[in-house]
């Protein structure tokens, strides 16, 4: 009897069905389960629910008669409906909870994970070989480059340097409203999207599922064909400009030269190797400069892989980390993505981008949304949940290290060497968002004090003892002693409280 293979909604590319030692048998029947309980449990961004359902249904349409597509309340019920008591195989799911679930079913054989460059045992061997030294991303990334011969000239990094970050931290071009990059790929909705919209409307009307955010025209690929077109468009037309302004923000140009490929990678529509190999080919063909290509390869072969590995390495308890003992609840205006209630132009802009598209690039995530939460002492678990629900590319594995570790420093420094937060001056240097804002980035107290500037100093003050002992933040903490208006500043910060800034 043939054993069917179960595909989760983030395992939708061809590499999840290709046979091999660790893969399903050739041409086996496929099971896809749309479990409504997933959408009931959390209040997702509607554009995210739309994208995931559209992608699952597009995959089912591609697989035709080979797939058993089941709509059920839970995965357990769906699997029973699809195969009864028969056994199935599945590639390792991407969250601790779903891995536990499939292991508990008794009829499921779990095959190794796919969709990443580094197998988990190889990472464990690398981590063991570090002999207790910190598992820093830069070391991991160089090891991945060597192992996969990415951007290498024999044993040396292409161009002679591993790290070209220095060339990739430029502020936005002065006086320009946009970067002027060629437009990114935009998919065209089809009948499947129409049916998804119809179902989501019905669920909302029935009151069984609630969403947040706007479900405008779908912006992200929902099929392999669309994802390949997006990758091609990026590598051929946009990659060349990826590097220099990677960390900059422009109010009128939210995407700049970013690839918009995260949701396609995380849905499994693209494999990371094909993305980095295409980028490298573009450099070798003289179509993109090395700093842009290295920057892109670093994001995928470095950061994305590192985050995936840390998720499993740190274990499920990592989500409860709260080294700074932050426990404030998220205010309603933030939960509801109520950008119109916010006066601070930078935060209003980023929140509006999330509301309207379920996406912002990494600097608004880290230095606007995450930084604001960190400065206000919001509960890191709730912040993680918010990011997970509100971003089209959010999944448990990618959320935990990025939010608990990188953004909220809730792990006390296991992932990063210092908390990522700043005053308004950083935002002013790296964006045009302070222009026309009611607040002034350099003012710490008074009515026009920038909420990021007061928040930054208040954060340093609150965690003074811990941060004074960290060589990367000690100098900033010493700056507190030079502030003549510290009390006034703290008062202004408290005044702001939970109200939208
Ligand atoms: P680009 O800037 O074009 O980068 C190329 C690719 O690199 C991305 O598509 C992504 O696959 C990968 N990448 C880069 N950095 C990371 C990273 N830190 N973790 C994982 N992949 C990375 N990324 C997600 O995929 N899902 C998330 O839910 C997510 N949440 C984040 C939350 C916070 C607080 C922060 C600071 C970062 C988060 N990131 C997340 C990482 C990064 O912000 C997004 O991957 C990126 O903005 C997606 O846009 P893009 O595809 O245009 O990326």
């Amino acid at each position: 009897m043939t054993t069917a293979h179960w595909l989760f909604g983030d395992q939708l590319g061809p590499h999840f069905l290709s046979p091999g030692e660790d893969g399903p048998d050739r041409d086996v029947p496929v099971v896809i389960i749309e479990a409504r309980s997933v959408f009931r449990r959390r209040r997702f961004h509607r554009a995210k629910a739309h994208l995931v359902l559209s992608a699952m249904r597009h995959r089912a349409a591609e697989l035709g008669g080979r797939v058993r597509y089941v709509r059920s309340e839970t995965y357990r019920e769906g699997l029973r409906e699809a195969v009864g008591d028969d056994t199935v195989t599945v590639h390792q799911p991407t969250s601790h909870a779903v891995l536990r679930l499939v292991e508990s079913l008794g009829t499921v054989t779990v095959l190794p994970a796919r969709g990443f460059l580094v197998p988990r045992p190889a990472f464990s061997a690398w981590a063991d070989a570090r002999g207790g030294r910190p598992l820093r991303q830069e070391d991991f990334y160089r090891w991945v480059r060597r192992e996969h011969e990415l951007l290498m000239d024999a044993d040396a990094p292409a161009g002679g340097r591993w790290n070209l970050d220095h060339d990739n931290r430029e502020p936005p071009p002065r006086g320009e409203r946009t970067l002027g990059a060629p437009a990114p790929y935009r998919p065209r909705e089809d009948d499947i999207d129409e049916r998804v919209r119809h179902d989501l409307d019905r669920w909302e009307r029935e009151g069984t599922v609630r969403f947040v955010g706007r479900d405008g025209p779908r912006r992200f690929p929902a099929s392999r064909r669309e994802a390949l077109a997006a990758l091609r468009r990026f590598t051929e037309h946009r990659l060349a400009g990826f590097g220099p302004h990677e960390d900059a923000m422009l109010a009128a140009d939210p995407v700049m030269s970013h690839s918009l490929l995260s949701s396609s990678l995380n849905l499994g529509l693209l494999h990371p190797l094909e993305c980095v190999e295409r980028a490298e080919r573009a450099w070798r063909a003289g179509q993109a400069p090395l700093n842009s290509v290295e920057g892109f390869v670093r994001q995928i072969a470095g950061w994305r892989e590192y985050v995936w590995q840390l998720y499993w390495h740190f274990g499920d308890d990592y989500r409860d980390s709260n080294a700074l003992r932050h426990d404030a609840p998220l205010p309603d205006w933030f939960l509801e993505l109520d950008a119109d209630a916010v006066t601070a132009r930078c935060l209003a802009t980023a929140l509006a981008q999330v509301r309207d598209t379920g996406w912002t690039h990494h600097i608004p995530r880290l230095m606007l949304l995450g930084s604001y939460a960190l400065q206000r002492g919001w509960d890191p678990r709730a912040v993680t949940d918010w990011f997970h629900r509100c971003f089209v590319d959010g999944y448990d594995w990618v959320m935990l290290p990025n939010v608990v570790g990188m953004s909220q420093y809730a792990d006390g420094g296991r992932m990063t060497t210092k908390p990522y937060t700043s005053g308004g001056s950083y935002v002013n240097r790296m964006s045009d968002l302070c222009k026309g804002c009611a607040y002034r980035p350099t003012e710490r107290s008074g009515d026009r004090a920038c909420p990021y500037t007061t928040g930054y100093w208040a954060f340093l003050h609150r965690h003074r003892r811990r941060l004074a002992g960290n060589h990367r933040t000690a100098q900033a903490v010493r700056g507190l002693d030079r502030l003549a208006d510290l009390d006034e500043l703290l008062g202004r910060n408290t005044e702001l409280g939970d109200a939208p800034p």
Side-chain angles (χ1 to χ4, degrees):
M1 198 178 53
T2 348
T3 302
H5 185 74
W6 181 4
L7 290 179
F8 277 96
D10 56 359
Q11 301 179 330
L12 301 177
H15 50 282
F16 289 96
L17 284 181
S18 53
E21 250 174 64
D22 64 347
D25 291 337
R26 190 175 293 280
D27 300 330
V28 292
V30 171
V31 173
I32 298 181
I33 302 168
E34 203 179 285
R36 179 101 68 102
S37 57
V38 173
F39 296 102
R40 270 201 236 285
R41 263 198 302 271
R42 283 192 153 113
R43 193 173 165 214
F44 284 106
H45 198 296
R46 189 165 144 157
K48 178 180 190 171
H50 178 159
L51 176 65
V52 173
L53 291 178
S54 178
M56 290 170 74
R57 295 180 189 184
H58 274 93
R59 185 62 172 135
E62 279 164 16
L63 290 167
R66 192 178 160 193
V67 71
R68 183 83 209 273
Y69 194 90
V70 179
R71 296 191 172 107
S72 61
E73 184 55 32
T74 65
Y75 285 128
R76 200 179 283 271
E77 287 168 18
L79 191 63
R80 178 163 290 276
E81 192 180 327
V83 297
D85 291 329
D86 289 351
T87 55
V88 295
T89 55
V90 69
H91 281 295
Q92 189 202 308
T94 58
S95 76
H96 293 288
V98 180
L99 178 59
R100 270 196 305 274
L101 169 79
V102 297
E103 285 176 343
S104 75
L105 294 173
T107 52
V108 182
T109 304
V110 180
L111 306 171
R114 283 192 174 170
F116 293 90
L117 297 169
V118 180
R120 282 180 53 203
F123 176 83
S124 302
W126 175 79
D128 288 348
R130 310 278 308 152
R133 279 173 295 151
L135 306 178
R136 294 291 173 218
Q137 187 269 350
E138 184 67 34
D139 301 330
F140 171 75
Y141 165 65
R142 292 179 189 190
W143 174 70
V144 176
R145 289 251 314 256
R146 280 205 182 90
E147 286 290 297
H148 289 269
E149 295 180 25
L150 291 172
L151 285 180
M152 297 295 293
D153 284 333
D155 282 344
R161 282 186 295 153
W162 289 105
N163 186 325
L164 281 85
D165 275 357
H166 182 70
D167 303 333
N168 290 346
R169 298 234 165 94
E170 287 183 26
R174 274 172 82 91
E176 302 290 343
R177 289 185 73 243
T178 71
L179 209 53
Y185 169 82
R186 284 292 290 266
R188 202 170 289 154
E189 290 199 8
D190 60 12
D191 294 353
I192 294 182
D193 292 291
E194 201 178 308
R195 283 197 297 277
V196 168
R197 278 184 198 288
H198 175 83
D199 287 349
L200 296 179
D201 285 345
R202 184 165 48 81
W203 295 357
E204 281 194 291
R205 255 195 329 271
E206 290 166 0
T208 49
V209 174
R210 289 171 67 228
F211 296 109
V212 66
R214 295 179 184 165
D215 184 14
R218 178 165 61 76
R219 288 168 180 262
F220 299 94
S223 67
R224 171 79 178 157
R225 187 184 56 76
E226 290 182 351
L228 281 175
L231 175 60
R232 204 175 317 117
R233 169 107 194 133
F234 174 70
T235 47
E236 287 176 11
H237 301 282
R238 296 166 46 77
L239 171 64
F242 178 82
H245 306 286
E246 216 188 318
D247 285 0
M249 299 174 277
L250 284 169
D253 187 3
V255 179
M256 303 180 80
S257 275
H258 289 275
S259 70
L260 294 181
L261 292 174
S262 52
S263 58
S264 303
L265 280 157
N266 296 354
L267 286 165
L269 294 172
L270 293 176
H271 193 284
L273 192 60
E274 64 188 331
C275 298
V276 292
E277 284 183 346
R278 265 181 198 245
E280 175 162 358
R281 278 204 298 278
W283 172 65
R284 295 208 182 267
Q287 291 157 358
L290 187 58
N291 62 314
S292 285
V293 173
E294 192 280 321
F296 181 68
V297 170
R298 169 180 294 272
Q299 296 302 316
I300 292 188
W303 281 109
R304 185 172 188 271
E305 287 293 313
Y306 178 63
V307 157
W308 162 253
Q309 298 294 348
L310 289 188
Y311 176 78
W312 298 103
H313 183 75
F314 287 157
D316 203 9
D317 296 348
Y318 186 72
R319 75 182 66 248
D320 298 321
S321 311
N322 194 353
L324 301 180
R325 296 173 194 262
H326 283 178
D327 57 7
L330 271 54
D332 280 349
W333 58 267
F334 197 80
L335 288 168
E336 297 296 328
L337 310 180
D338 187 2
D340 298 337
V342 178
T343 305
R345 186 165 176 243
C346 59
L347 184 56
T349 305
L351 207 56
Q353 285 167 11
V354 180
R355 177 196 64 201
D356 297 343
T357 66
W359 181 92
T360 66
H361 79 65
H362 67 137
I363 297 299
R365 295 188 203 206
L366 189 65
M367 300 309 287
L368 295 178
L369 301 162
S371 173
Y372 196 81
L374 178 66
Q375 292 181 354
R376 263 68 211 171
W378 294 349
D379 176 357
R381 253 190 103 117
V383 179
T384 308
D385 181 62
W386 180 86
F387 271 102
H388 185 149
R389 294 184 294 102
C390 294
F391 278 79
V392 288
D393 52 17
Y395 292 85
D396 201 49
W397 67 268
V398 70
M399 240 55 267
L400 256 55
N402 271 313
V403 184
V404 173
M406 174 126 68
S407 159
Q408 299 301 297
Y409 201 68
D411 65 359
R414 287 175 81 187
M415 184 171 171
T416 62
T417 48
K418 64 162 190 162
Y420 279 94
T421 187
S422 75
S425 300
Y426 169 87
V427 178
N428 194 25
R429 190 169 66 252
M430 294 307 290
S431 78
D432 63 355
L433 293 161
C434 299
K435 233 185 270 165
C437 181
Y439 302 113
R440 297 288 173 273
T442 47
E443 293 188 22
R444 294 186 294 260
S445 48
D447 286 350
R448 296 196 313 177
C450 167
Y452 281 94
T453 305
T454 54
Y456 173 70
W457 290 111
F459 172 78
L460 290 184
H461 175 74
R462 199 161 63 244
H463 297 293
R464 183 177 203 133
R465 193 137 26 107
R466 172 187 283 270
L467 300 177
N470 178 335
H471 75 280
R472 295 205 63 196
T473 45
Q475 196 184 347
V477 172
R478 282 197 293 277
L480 278 170
D481 299 328
R482 290 195 290 274
L483 298 184
D485 57 352
L486 181 61
D487 288 342
E488 207 185 321
L489 171 166
L490 294 174
R492 172 73 185 141
N493 192 57
T494 313
E495 223 171 79
L496 195 59
D498 267 358

